[in-house]
């Protein structure tokens, strides 16, 4: 016998959502996780994150094939023209850099999906305030509110390093 999904109450009257729990909600009821997102918004963002994840995985596969192909070509042209060898190495390095970017983006997307499962999606990791649907619609993997993100970017420019990597 399959039990129907229920809300699991936690401290401070927050609610943690389990897969399928949305059936117990009315369509536009605001989720009490503190994010301020309603069920429709949450479903839309989850679908977007899932599609992004699949797209990133396909891109990583494509880039992996390019890197392997360029490695084989580079090995075959090591005896050839220096300019040709240098161009092949440049292409290979560019593909490796793009793969690193895609992997970091994939980690952010996976983190956002995990936060959805845990019931803390849409909450700023620094201030614990709601991030806002508009920001999440543009950057569904966002970890910080727009104000916090702007402060982090200013600090990263001041210190000459990027604190948020792919965000």
């Amino acid at each position: 016998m399959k039990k129907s999904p229920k809300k699991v109450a936690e401290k401070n009257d927050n609610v943690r959502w389990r897969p399928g729990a949305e059936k117990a909600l009315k369509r536009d009821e605001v989720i009490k996780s503190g994010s301020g997102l309603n069920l429709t918004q949450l479903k839309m963002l989850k679908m977007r994150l899932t599609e992004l994840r699949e797209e990133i995985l396909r891109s990583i596969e494509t880039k992996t094939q390019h890197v392997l192909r360029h490695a084989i070509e580079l090995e075959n042209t090591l005896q050839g023209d220096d300019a040709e060898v240098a161009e092949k190495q440049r292409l290979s390095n560019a593909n490796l850099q793009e793969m690193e970017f895609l992997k970091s983006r994939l980690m952010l997307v996976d983190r956002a999906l995990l936060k959805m499962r845990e019931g803390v999606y849409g909450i700023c990791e620094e201030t614990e305030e709601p991030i806002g649907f508009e920001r999440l619609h543009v950057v569904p993997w966002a970890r910080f509110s727009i104000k916090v993100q702007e402060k982090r970017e200013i600090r990263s420019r001041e210190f000459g390093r990027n604190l948020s990597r792919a965000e």
Side-chain angles (χ1 to χ4, degrees):
M1 182 169 114
K2 189 174 180 182
K3 292 183 179 179
S4 63
K6 300 285 183 189
K7 298 183 272 186
V8 179
E10 296 180 341
K11 292 180 183 176
N12 301 330
D13 199 31
N14 285 336
V15 176
R16 186 175 200 175
W17 296 100
R18 299 285 182 214
E22 61 269 3
K23 292 177 184 174
L25 286 177
K26 293 179 183 173
R27 185 160 183 85
D28 290 323
E29 185 176 343
V30 174
I31 294 174
K32 296 178 183 178
S33 67
S35 69
L37 299 171
N38 65 40
L39 184 59
T40 304
Q41 292 169 331
L42 193 62
K43 283 182 177 181
M44 182 187 337
L45 292 167
K46 182 176 183 178
M47 186 170 50
R48 180 131 189 257
L49 283 165
T50 304
E51 289 169 356
L52 279 169
R53 186 177 193 284
E54 294 303 315
E55 182 181 323
I56 291 168
L57 288 171
R58 283 191 302 272
S59 294
I60 289 173
E61 178 64 29
T62 301
K63 290 295 172 192
T64 301
Q65 295 302 320
H66 285 267
V67 167
L68 292 173
R69 190 174 327 118
H70 287 298
I72 291 168
E73 289 174 9
L74 181 62
E75 192 173 307
N76 291 337
T77 60
L78 281 177
Q79 308 296 332
D81 186 356
D82 288 343
E84 188 177 347
V85 171
E87 179 62 17
K88 299 280 187 199
Q89 287 177 329
R90 188 194 66 74
L91 286 172
S92 180
N93 289 339
N95 282 323
L96 288 171
Q97 287 176 338
E98 288 179 49
M99 280 180 54
E100 284 302 313
F101 174 80
L102 290 168
K103 286 179 183 179
S104 64
R105 181 61 52 87
L106 180 62
M107 286 178 19
L108 290 170
V109 168
D110 283 343
R111 178 186 213 145
L113 289 166
L114 176 64
K115 288 170 73 172
M116 266 186 192
R117 286 190 296 272
E118 296 293 320
V120 294
Y121 177 75
I123 300 172
C124 178
E125 292 180 11
E126 194 168 304
T127 64
E128 296 185 5
E129 296 292 323
I131 292 175
F133 178 71
E134 294 79 19
R135 173 155 169 72
L136 291 170
H137 184 69
V138 174
V139 185
W141 58 84
R143 298 171 49 204
F144 306 105
S145 67
I146 195 91
K147 287 181 182 180
V148 171
Q149 184 64 35
E150 287 172 350
K151 287 178 185 176
R152 291 175 64 85
E153 287 173 6
I154 289 169
R155 274 187 283 168
S156 72
R157 283 192 296 266
E158 288 174 0
F159 293 109
R161 57 191 168 96
N162 190 353
L163 297 175
S164 64
R165 285 194 181 179
E167 189 172 346

